[in-house]
Amino acid sequence: MLGLKATMTIIDNSGALIAECVNVLKRKTGHGMATVGDEIVVVIQKARPLTAATAASTSATAVKVRRGDIRRAVVVRTKKEVQRPDGRLIRFDDNAAVLLNAKKELLGTRINGVVSADLRMKGWGKIASLAPKVI
């Protein structure tokens, strides 16, 4: 459950490292709290530095975001436990998200780290397929 001002790590290769939640989108219940698979609006708090080599190149590894940018993201891990339909409780060590562009496509091309299997049920199968491990 992530609310306003919650910080999370960004686990894609878009260039962002840490982001802060400023709004939870399309959530009728939960009183403004986001769980795994929910779309949120974030502000980038920390990003990889922009070097001269990456500024000149237009490759996929170039930094796509800067500090202070406002972006949309999908929550992929939460510290607060989530109960699955079979009764198991799933909890992660940190909060994490993946950045999106305006068309709700992934901003990065890779995902580093574990994501929750609940993403497939919420319509984010592309994130689950790119992740190295799904729990």
Side-chain angles (χ1 to χ4, degrees):
M1 302 281 265
L2 299 175
L4 193 64
K5 304 288 278 183
T7 59
M8 64 208 75
T9 58
I10 303 297
I11 61 167
D12 58 10
N13 64 343
S14 61
L17 298 174
I18 297 174
E20 178 182 297
C21 177
V22 293
N23 193 10
V24 179
L25 301 174
K26 296 182 182 175
R27 192 60 203 234
K28 300 298 183 210
T29 60
H31 305 289
M33 301 298 246
T35 59
V36 173
D38 288 344
E39 194 174 339
I40 60 175
V41 178
V42 298
V43 174
I44 307 302
Q45 296 293 335
K46 189 175 182 183
R48 266 188 236 118
L50 187 65
T51 62
T54 57
S57 71
T58 58
S59 66
T61 60
V63 176
K64 298 180 176 84
V65 293
R66 292 187 176 157
R67 183 180 183 276
D69 282 358
I70 298 172
R71 297 284 177 155
R72 289 188 179 204
V74 175
V75 179
V76 295
R77 291 195 305 247
T78 58
K79 283 177 104 171
K80 178 68 176 169
E81 61 272 356
V82 177
Q83 188 164 10
R84 297 248 171 102
D86 61 356
R88 289 182 294 173
L89 290 173
I90 305 297
R91 175 176 60 219
F92 295 97
D93 289 339
D94 64 342
N95 299 320
V98 174
L99 295 181
L100 303 174
N101 64 9
K103 298 179 190 173
K104 296 190 179 181
E105 299 165 345
L106 297 178
L107 195 61
T109 56
R110 290 186 184 152
I111 294 178
N112 310 316
V114 180
V115 300
S116 177
D118 297 337
L119 290 169
R120 276 196 218 284
M121 293 185 282
K122 299 219 178 163
W124 298 103
K126 172 84 173 182
I127 297 172
S129 65
L130 285 175
K133 186 154 184 156
V134 178
I135 294 181

